[in-house]
Amino acid sequence: MPRLGPTLLSLALAGVMTLAAYTDPVLVGVAVLLVQVLIAVGPGPVDRAGIAIASPRLVPVLVAGVVATALSLEPDLLTGADGTSTDVIGISDTGVFAGAIPGVAAAVFVALVAQMLRRDGRTDLVQSVGYAVLLSATAVLAIGWIGAAQSIGGAACVAVAAAGVGAGLLAWMLPVDRWICLSLATLAGAAAGAAVVLAVDSIMTAYFGVLVGAAAAILAVVGQVVARTVGGHGTHPSVAWGFPGAMAIALVGPVAYLGGQLVTAA
């Protein structure tokens, strides 16, 4: 099955995220960096004729990932110099997603520098820069898993989102009409999320598990579909498993983070 490789990778990454969340948020950051590396080494863009477009993207994506991940693990870096900010008190206890903006900003700067260093006439400049920034922004979304692990919901919230990813992608592999398959994936994600909530000791409710699990399943499927669309029918080795598998996990990051914030708000 063409979806088997990406699905197994996504399940493995989701499992690693969960185990890391129950151990130490720093290990979640390491797992997030792995996801970002897999996105950074993904396929390049092509034009309408299917010809590859030169797009320096490895360094911009990695820079974006490192900046965003570091700020998520050490949110006190966002406070600035002593006495200049009092608006981020308590972010370490609730998780933070603010590292996404500096991460993308760093990626834009590095991507522009990379274009200046090109010696091929800088053809397809807009598409080249846009693709590098797109991958960087997508990779940055994975920091949501760190925010979820640092929220009041903690590891249990990460487990709910991971369960939604796993159940949704397994259902997505069924050889049926894609719209039916997406519906089954959503239901499977909701059921898995609710099951985890009922199985673990936490303040979350079954309704929370249904909501987060279903959203995680949908975005995991969307991540794989988008990755395959971007990768096209190219021969890049990451198209077969690494790129779609990592994209699915990255797109679920904001869902995991918002789930942690819902628990915090409650």
Side-chain angles (χ1 to χ4, degrees):
M1 289 185 181
R3 303 175 191 172
L4 179 60
T7 296
L8 291 178
L9 176 61
S10 294
L11 264 63
L13 291 172
V16 169
M17 292 285 187
T18 304
L19 292 174
Y22 276 101
T23 305
D24 192 317
V26 174
L27 296 180
V28 180
V30 174
V32 166
L33 286 174
L34 174 59
V35 171
Q36 292 164 342
V37 169
L38 290 173
I39 293 176
V41 298
V46 296
D47 59 19
R48 293 183 178 180
I51 300 175
I53 296 175
S55 179
R57 57 196 180 279
L58 177 63
V59 176
V61 175
L62 292 180
V63 168
V66 169
V67 170
T69 301
L71 291 176
S72 296
L73 291 172
E74 295 294 336
D76 289 340
L77 294 173
L78 295 168
T79 61
D82 291 341
T84 61
S85 174
T86 59
D87 297 328
V88 291
I89 296 175
I91 55 179
S92 296
D93 297 327
T94 61
V96 62
F97 200 72
I101 296 176
V104 174
V108 172
F109 176 78
V110 175
L112 292 176
V113 172
Q115 293 297 325
M116 294 172 60
L117 297 176
R118 287 176 60 184
R119 293 294 183 266
D120 58 357
R122 299 192 187 97
T123 57
D124 300 302
L125 182 61
V126 174
Q127 295 92 327
S128 180
V129 175
Y131 187 76
V133 174
L134 172 64
L135 287 191
S136 300
T138 304
V140 161
L141 294 179
I143 65 173
W145 292 94
I146 302 174
Q150 294 175 330
S151 68
I152 292 178
C157 182
V158 173
V160 170
V165 171
L169 290 180
L170 287 175
W172 179 245
M173 291 176 59
L174 296 175
V176 295
D177 178 81
R178 289 197 172 188
W179 288 108
I180 296 176
C181 204
L182 179 60
S183 300
L184 294 175
T186 304
L187 292 174
V196 170
V197 168
L198 296 175
V200 300
D201 182 17
S202 72
I203 61 175
M204 298 180 294
T205 64
Y207 177 76
F208 174 90
V210 168
L211 182 64
V212 174
I218 293 172
L219 284 180
V221 170
V222 170
Q224 287 202 4
V225 172
V226 169
R228 289 191 175 281
T229 301
V230 171
H233 301 286
T235 58
H236 196 283
S238 69
V239 175
W241 62 280
F243 189 58
M247 286 282 282
I249 296 297
L251 261 63
V252 177
V255 171
Y257 171 75
L258 289 175
Q261 297 308 298
L262 287 174
V263 174
T264 300

